[in-house]
């Protein structure tokens, strides 16, 4: 269930726009946050009810956008850009390295629920390739050593590493 | 080397706390807005921007002032949308502006909104750009506190609210009508044109959609005049442009240059030439959807719309992707085909099916299972996507496939006959 705070936030967001339906993506972000980083069917239903939209409509819209996850994700999402500029500078090797290091395939989550490894399209950081995004943070000009350092910092609870 | 760059648009980048309003004001920020509001009628601002010859920096290069003049007289409300859904692979200039000079973006939006008689503007920001979101959000708050946004701006009676709308991962939403669908809370499907957004856009009201960099140019033009702006560039491509360079150069990054600057100046002088001295094979001059050029051809061109077009490609968003001779063109094209297949919205058949077929065929060629007839089959599919798709995404998907087959056909033939890569030896 969405918390009352989240429900209120969604109502407020929708009032910002000339048409309240314009708040749909923002509402889905709020719901995704509440549900631990993904949107189970009940979350979509709740958003639909709250916004007065058909449930199928909301599910259809949500499924269009890659940043709305429709299956559970780990505590941290590691998104590796493998588009052209990053792949020219070794992103494929970096992705393979992360896959080996974490012991999971792309799209999977580590058994402890800590990390989900995702391959994503261009993150708009081509001048500092290769780049990965972990949760809301970009990490640029990466090497395997830098990736080790970043993951160590995150797993030991020291937070972000630059 | 940076001394060779013109620093107008990027003048605040690298200044400490460039994103804060105090910094922006101390460097002359918001003076153009004051000038526009106090000294000009909206139509005069439109005229100044039209006279400057500024062309849309999102990729299409449409004259900005002319777009604004398409607004139907007497129809209100009107909306302005800052297209910050920067998603073209190779492009990152808008992110640089939004993260490091967000007030420049806001001032551009405010002046453009005044010119277009808009009282509600939106920034449609790609979902991944978290820092841009925070910087723009803070900038809106700061600008509102100082009276540059909100009710009765600077006591002139002009009102403007700016909202940020976050996308959620969809390349096609950078196309202006798909963006409108998304902003209306729908799947990001493009809409039929005409009606063009200027006539019937957001909520079926007249709407101007301009790219971040386009709007960022506006305060400079309004403050210093159209003639001042035309001191740079060519007659048909006036002004300054941001170029994003990525791939195999020593110093990739964002560079500001007058339109018409030789490509060689950008690649060799500013970016330090080929990375590790490895000779170049190809250059994609304007972002992943613009046709790939043999490096020796690209290096003979100048960086303006007309020169690049005459040389067989497009300036696009000014995203220069540099590829050296150790790179497999088939693998690179295969990766791009995968991107367009993923991003095709599924609305129209040529793009939906065509991008899937192109990807599958490239996949089998890349994996040593290609057939000789596949090369012409790919070109045939290109012909059936290009100019037959509902929106420009189909044409974009064709760009790398057709151009790589034209210029580097021998690499494809080697893959097919030898079942391995020419580059790997």
């Amino acid at each position: 269930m969405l918390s009352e705070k989240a429900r209120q936030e969604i109502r407020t967001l929708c009032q910002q726009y000339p048409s309240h339906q314009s708040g749909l993506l923002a509402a889905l972000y709020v719901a995704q946050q509440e549900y631990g980083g993904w949107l189970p069917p009940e979350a979509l239903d709740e958003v639909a009810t709250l916004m007065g939209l058909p449930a199928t409509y909301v599910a259809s819209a949500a499924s269009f956008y890659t940043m709305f996850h429709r299956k559970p994700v780990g505590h941290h999402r590691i998104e590796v850009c493998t588009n052209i500029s990053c792949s020219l500078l070794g992103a494929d090797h970096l992705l393979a390295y992360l896959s080996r290091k974490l012991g999971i395939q792309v799209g999977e989550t580590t058994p402890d629920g800590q990390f989900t490894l995702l391959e994503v399209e261009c993150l708009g950081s081509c001048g500092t390739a290769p780049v990965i995004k972990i949760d809301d943070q970009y990490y640029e000009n990466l090497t395997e050593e830098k990736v080790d350092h970043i993951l160590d910092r995150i797993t030991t609870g020291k937070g972000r590493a630059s | 080397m940076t001394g060779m760059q013109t620093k107008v648009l990027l003048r605040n980048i690298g200044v400490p706390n460039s994103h804060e309003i105090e910094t922006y004001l101390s460097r002359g920020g918001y003076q153009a807005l004051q000038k526009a509001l106090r000294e000009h009628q909206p139509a005069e601002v439109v005229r100044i921007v039209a006279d400057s010859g500024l062309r849309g920096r999102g990729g299409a290069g449409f004259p900005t002032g002319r777009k604004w003049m398409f607004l139907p007289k007497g129809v209100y409300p009107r909306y302005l949308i800052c297209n910050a859904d920067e998603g073209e692979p190779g492009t990152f200039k808008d992110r640089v502006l939004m993260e490091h000079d967000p007030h420049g973006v806001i001032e551009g939006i405010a002046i453009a909104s005044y010119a277009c008689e808009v009282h509600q503007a939106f920034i449609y920001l790609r979902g991944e750009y978290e820092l841009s979101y925070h910087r723009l959000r803070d900038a809106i708050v700061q600008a509102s506190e100082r009276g540059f946004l909100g009710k009765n701006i600077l006591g002139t009676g002009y009102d403007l609210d700016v909202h940020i709308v976050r996308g959620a991962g969809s390349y096609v939403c950078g196309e202006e009508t798909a963006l409108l669908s998304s902003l209306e809370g729908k799947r990001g499907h493009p809409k039929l044109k005409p009606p063009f957004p200027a006539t019937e856009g957001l909520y079926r009201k007249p709407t101007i959609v301009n790219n971040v960099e386009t709007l960022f140019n506006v305060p400079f033009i309004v403050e210093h005049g159209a003639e001042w702006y035309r001191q740079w560039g060519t007659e048909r491509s006036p002004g300054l442009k941001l170029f994003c360079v990525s791939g195999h150069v020593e110093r990739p990054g964002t560079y500001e240059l007058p339109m018409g600057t030789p490509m060689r100046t950008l690649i060799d002088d500013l970016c330090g030439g080929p990375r590790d001295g490895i000779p170049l094979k190809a250059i994609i001059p304007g972002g992943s959807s613009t046709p790939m050029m043999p490096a020796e051809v690209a290096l003979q061109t100048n960086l303006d719309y007309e020169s690049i077009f005459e040389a067989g490609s497009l300036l696009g968003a000014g995203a220069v992707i540099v590829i050296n001779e150790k790179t497999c063109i088939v693998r690179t094209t295969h990766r791009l085909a995968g991107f367009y297949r993923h991003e095709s919205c599924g609305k129209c058949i040529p793009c939906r099916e065509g991008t899937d077929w192109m990807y599958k065929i490239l996949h089998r060629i890349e994996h040593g299972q290609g057939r000789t007839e596949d090369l012409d089959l790919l070109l045939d599919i290109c012909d059936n996507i290009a100019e037959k798709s509902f929106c420009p995404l189909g044409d974009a998907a064709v760009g790398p496939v057709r151009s790589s087959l034209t210029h580097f056909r021998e690499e494809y033939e080697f893959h097919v006959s030898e079942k391995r890569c020419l580059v790997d030896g």
Side-chain angles (χ1 to χ4, degrees):
Chain A
M1 275 280 284
L2 290 173
S3 65
E4 185 47 41
K5 181 169 167 286
R7 299 168 76 84
Q8 192 51 47
E9 193 178 346
I10 290 173
R11 285 189 205 101
T12 309
L13 281 167
C14 291
Q15 283 165 6
Q16 287 184 4
Y17 304 99
S19 154
H20 83 291
Q21 194 179 320
S22 285
L24 179 58
L25 300 192
L28 289 170
Y29 274 122
V30 172
Q32 181 160 274
Q33 178 87 22
E34 284 266 310
Y35 274 88
W38 73 296
L39 288 167
E42 58 266 34
L44 298 172
D45 289 348
E46 282 185 79
V47 170
T49 306
L50 204 56
M51 293 185 67
L53 295 167
T56 48
Y57 180 90
V58 172
S60 162
S63 72
F64 186 82
Y65 299 94
T66 52
M67 289 177 71
F68 296 130
H69 301 285
R70 283 169 300 142
K71 55 181 193 176
V73 291
H75 191 55
H76 301 289
R77 280 172 292 111
I78 303 178
E79 301 178 0
V80 183
C81 172
T82 59
N83 209 304
I84 181 164
S85 301
C86 282
S87 74
L88 288 173
L89 295 176
D92 295 336
H93 300 292
L94 203 62
L95 182 66
Y97 178 73
L98 273 160
S99 177
R100 282 199 307 278
K101 185 177 169 74
L102 297 169
I104 51 172
Q105 298 298 309
V106 173
E108 293 179 350
T109 301
T110 51
D112 63 1
Q114 276 299 302
F115 295 105
T116 299
L117 182 61
L118 299 166
E119 182 179 4
V120 296
E121 297 300 353
C122 185
L123 288 169
S125 197
C126 320
T128 47
V131 63
I132 65 176
K133 185 171 178 242
I134 304 179
D135 304 327
D136 62 355
Q137 179 85 10
Y138 277 60
Y139 298 93
E140 302 169 303
N141 295 309
L142 289 178
T143 58
E144 291 181 3
E145 295 72 43
K146 282 190 187 172
V147 165
D148 286 342
H149 178 66
I150 291 160
L151 291 190
D152 284 349
R153 298 265 312 192
I154 290 172
T155 45
T156 55
K158 287 179 185 158
R160 293 170 173 176
S162 52
Chain B
M1 285 296 174
T2 48
M4 301 176 68
Q5 273 197 88
T6 314
K7 287 263 186 185
V8 175
L9 302 174
L10 297 181
R11 72 200 170 101
N12 292 336
I13 309 296
V15 173
N17 295 317
S18 61
H19 59 284
E20 297 288 350
I21 196 165
E22 286 79 13
T23 315
Y24 189 67
L25 288 170
S26 74
R27 298 177 64 79
Y30 288 113
Q31 284 177 9
L33 177 64
Q34 304 198 37
K35 183 172 178 179
L37 263 54
R38 296 205 167 113
E39 297 177 21
H40 295 298
Q41 292 300 311
E44 292 168 7
V45 179
V46 175
R47 171 52 59 192
I48 293 166
V49 172
D51 289 347
S52 78
L54 174 66
R55 295 170 63 171
R57 301 298 195 228
F62 192 83
T64 305
R66 202 190 306 164
K67 187 186 259 192
W68 294 358
M69 288 175 182
F70 284 155
L71 286 166
K73 289 200 183 353
V75 185
Y76 303 93
R78 298 163 168 184
Y79 299 107
L80 182 128
I81 298 169
C82 170
N83 185 347
D85 195 42
E86 182 172 62
E88 175 85 356
T91 318
F92 45 96
K93 63 189 175 64
D94 295 343
R95 181 176 156 228
V96 170
L97 297 177
M98 292 187 288
E99 288 185 357
H100 299 288
D101 205 354
H103 283 285
V105 179
I106 299 298
E107 187 174 9
I109 291 170
I111 296 172
S113 295
Y114 173 71
C116 296
E117 300 176 75
V118 162
H119 299 290
Q120 194 160 23
F122 298 93
I123 302 171
Y124 187 91
L125 176 67
R126 70 173 293 190
E128 291 87 345
Y129 281 6
E130 301 271 354
L131 184 57
S132 296
Y133 172 66
H134 291 287
R135 291 270 163 92
L136 287 168
R137 193 188 56 184
D138 292 348
I140 289 170
V141 171
Q142 290 176 346
S144 302
E145 286 167 358
R146 304 291 184 107
F148 299 122
L149 292 178
K151 295 275 179 222
N152 191 21
I153 294 173
L154 300 168
T156 61
Y158 175 62
D159 302 336
L160 176 67
D161 284 321
V162 180
H163 290 290
I164 305 170
V165 181
R166 303 185 71 186
S170 169
Y171 169 74
V172 75
C173 289
E175 193 281 327
E176 60 181 4
T177 62
L179 186 158
L180 295 174
S181 297
S182 183
L183 216 162
E184 289 169 351
K186 303 170 184 167
R187 290 167 71 90
H189 281 181
K191 304 179 189 199
L192 194 64
K193 292 195 276 194
F196 288 92
T199 323
E200 194 178 305
L202 188 65
Y203 316 122
R204 308 191 69 176
K205 297 295 180 191
T207 303
I208 292 295
V209 186
N210 285 144
N211 166 262
V212 172
E213 185 189 345
T214 310
L215 292 166
F216 198 88
N217 273 273
V218 169
F220 297 96
I221 294 167
V222 168
E223 193 170 352
H224 302 290
E227 279 309 306
W228 172 87
Y229 192 71
R230 281 184 174 276
Q231 71 179 285
W232 296 287
T234 66
E235 177 60 29
R236 292 174 67 193
S237 298
L240 299 161
K241 175 85 189 83
L242 300 182
F243 293 95
C244 304
V245 186
S246 64
H248 296 137
V249 290
E250 286 289 341
R251 289 188 295 277
T254 308
Y255 296 92
E256 175 177 4
L257 288 169
M259 286 277 197
T261 301
M263 176 78 88
R264 206 174 270 287
T265 303
L266 178 64
I267 300 298
D268 287 343
D269 300 340
L270 293 171
C271 296
R275 193 181 179 96
D276 301 326
I278 300 167
L280 302 182
K281 179 189 281 183
I283 290 176
I284 303 178
S288 68
S289 61
T290 62
M292 200 178 281
M293 306 167 83
E296 65 274 16
V297 175
L299 286 168
Q300 299 301 318
T301 60
N302 294 335
L303 292 161
D304 60 81
Y305 295 107
E306 289 71 30
S307 298
I308 302 273
F309 183 75
E310 281 163 23
S313 189
L314 297 162
L315 186 68
V320 182
I321 304 168
V322 182
I323 299 170
N324 72 20
E325 66 176 24
K326 292 196 171 179
T327 310
C328 173
I329 291 294
V330 178
R331 186 184 304 147
T332 302
T333 309
H334 171 245
R335 178 64 190 86
L336 288 175
F339 168 70
Y340 289 106
R341 172 196 190 223
H342 180 258
E343 300 299 338
S344 177
C345 79
K347 176 168 178 148
C348 78
I349 294 166
C351 176
R352 183 187 69 209
E353 300 301 317
T355 54
D356 190 47
W357 295 343
M358 289 201 300
Y359 175 79
K360 284 176 176 162
I361 295 166
L362 282 160
H363 189 80
R364 70 177 179 237
I365 297 173
E366 167 66 9
H367 291 86
Q369 291 149 1
R371 308 171 304 196
T372 307
E373 58 269 32
D374 278 348
L375 309 192
D376 288 332
L377 181 58
L378 275 173
L379 289 173
D380 186 51
I381 296 169
C382 287
D383 289 343
N384 282 291
I385 299 174
E387 296 169 28
K388 296 183 178 69
S389 300
F390 193 84
C391 87
L393 195 144
D395 294 335
V398 164
V401 177
R402 188 189 265 159
S403 60
S404 64
L405 270 161
T406 304
H407 299 300
F408 303 100
R409 193 175 173 109
E410 70 282 3
E411 288 201 36
Y412 284 91
E413 288 168 347
F414 191 92
H415 262 266
V416 170
S417 64
E418 306 300 319
K419 310 203 180 304
R420 62 190 171 87
C421 182
L422 182 62
V423 174
D424 294 342

